[in-house]
Amino acid sequence: MKKTLFILLISAFPFAANAQLGFMLGFEGGFAGSTIKSAELPFFFDSYNTANVAGGLTQPFKLKSGVATGRYFGFTVGMGGPQCKMTLIIDRYLMKSGRNEARFSNGQGRNMWTEIKETSSEVGVQFSEGKFTAGFEFVLSLRYVSIYSQYVFPDESTSFGSDHTLNGVFEDLTFGPGIGINVGYKVLPYLVLTAKSDYIFRVTGQHPEYHQYSDLQLFKDIDYLPRDFSNYNNYSGLENSISNDVSGLRFSFGIQFLLESNIE
């Protein structure tokens, strides 16, 4: 797939450089979302549920994290002909999932959710016809994944502090390639409604030991998310921790302010 996209980019270059040489500059922002595809996180949630059944767990964690939603902003530069331009896109994403809640019969519990902070660079080709645009791109993404874990008291007050071992923000940074498409519709001469969809692949499978979730904010003795929660206090992080393997489909809908110039 990535080889095919590269061939398409190279093939489109003569069309982008042909005829009138033009430039484009766009600024955009709007709504963003991402699926949270992970084989590792369910290990932790399942082990937590299993270890706490005898302790009065009445509402277990869901094994899937669902979809993270939020916002994005970015800019686009391009060069080429009136109907085909090579583009470079730089985007910044901030997305959070809904809370995954576990509750016990005594009213206590735990909330956990996932946050994705992402800086993405995308090289591609964009085609224009009248008010419509469409393009495809090759994506390189730096993705900071954070797992928030807070204790819930019976009165619904919460704590991230050191009063409970599993409290904290467990984080890891990954680098991931991807591929995507984008479409747009020009509603005004300088205003475009945009939609994008990218699939971000995971690259941590070969070296999962380099991508453990660590709570660097509290510097605790136990600062990882375990595969086996029943042995949380008996192993080091390397022996029992899950790794960050979050990948999936990223999508966005926004408004772009676009400036274009075509020179004979």
Side-chain angles (χ1 to χ4, degrees), residues 193-222:
L193 299 180
T194 65
K196 292 197 294 184
S197 178
D198 307 303
Y199 192 91
I200 308 300
F201 300 93
R202 72 181 182 96
V203 295
T204 59
Q206 296 180 349
H207 302 286
E209 67 274 14
Y210 298 153
H211 295 282
Q212 297 172 327
Y213 292 105
S214 300
D215 183 5
L216 302 180
Q217 298 181 0
L218 298 179
F219 297 96
K220 299 181 298 188
D221 293 334
I222 303 176

Side-chain angles (χ1 to χ4, degrees), residues 101-115:
E101 301 179 349
R103 294 292 185 269
F104 292 82
S105 56
N106 60 5
Q108 297 175 344
R110 182 161 295 280
N111 295 332
M112 300 190 72
W113 63 92
T114 303
E115 179 183 72

Side-chain angles (χ1 to χ4, degrees), residues 1-241:
M1 178 66 73
K2 286 182 276 188
K3 183 178 179 180
T4 302
L5 181 61
F6 179 75
I7 293 173
L8 289 172
L9 288 171
I10 295 300
S11 301
F13 183 78
F15 298 98
N18 194 24
Q20 297 174 327
L21 179 63
F23 299 91
M24 62 179 290
L25 177 63
F27 300 91
E28 65 182 283
F31 170 83
S34 177
T35 60
I36 303 175
K37 183 179 179 181
S38 171
E40 290 283 287
L41 278 172
F43 281 111
F44 164 73
F45 290 131
D46 186 56
S47 72
Y48 184 94
N49 294 342
T50 301
N52 286 289
V53 167
L57 183 68
T58 57
Q59 178 183 329
F61 280 127
K62 294 178 292 186
L63 299 188
K64 293 185 177 181
S65 300
V67 176
T69 58
R71 63 186 183 275
Y72 83 101
F73 61 90
F75 70 91
T76 301
V77 294
M79 181 180 69
Q83 295 180 314
C84 180
K85 289 183 175 67
M86 303 292 290
T87 59
L88 171 64
I89 305 170
I90 305 295
D91 287 325
R92 176 68 172 169
Y93 292 83
L94 176 59
M95 301 167 288
K96 292 183 180 181
S97 71
R99 293 187 178 186
N100 196 354
E101 301 179 349
R103 294 292 185 269
F104 292 82
S105 56
N106 60 5
Q108 297 175 344
R110 182 161 295 280
N111 295 332
M112 300 190 72
W113 63 92
T114 303
E115 179 183 72
I116 298 175
K117 294 179 181 178
E118 191 165 14
T119 300
S120 179
S121 61
E122 304 150 26
V123 178
V125 176
Q126 182 171 293
F127 301 94
S128 302
E129 183 62 42
K131 293 185 176 182
F132 293 93
T133 65
F136 54 87
E137 60 262 352
F138 175 71
V139 182
L140 293 176
S141 177
L142 286 174
R143 172 173 280 192
Y144 216 115
V145 178
S146 302
I147 309 297
Y148 287 74
S149 177
Q150 67 177 190
Y151 187 79
V152 181
F153 295 95
D155 63 357
E156 294 298 321
S157 60
T158 60
S159 170
F160 278 113
S162 57
D163 49 329
H164 289 82
T165 304
L166 193 57
N167 285 355
V169 184
F170 300 84
E171 304 169 320
D172 180 68
L173 176 66
T174 60
F175 169 82
I179 55 175
I181 58 174
N182 64 79
V183 295
Y185 180 77
K186 188 176 292 186
V187 293
L188 293 172
Y190 302 108
L191 199 63
V192 183
L193 299 180
T194 65
K196 292 197 294 184
S197 178
D198 307 303
Y199 192 91
I200 308 300
F201 300 93
R202 72 181 182 96
V203 295
T204 59
Q206 296 180 349
H207 302 286
E209 67 274 14
Y210 298 153
H211 295 282
Q212 297 172 327
Y213 292 105
S214 300
D215 183 5
L216 302 180
Q217 298 181 0
L218 298 179
F219 297 96
K220 299 181 298 188
D221 293 334
I222 303 176
D223 67 346
Y224 67 93
L225 293 176
R227 284 178 170 271
D228 181 4
F229 188 79
S230 63
N231 286 307
Y232 190 38
N233 298 310
N234 299 327
Y235 293 97
S236 69
L238 286 175
E239 296 173 317
N240 193 32
S241 66

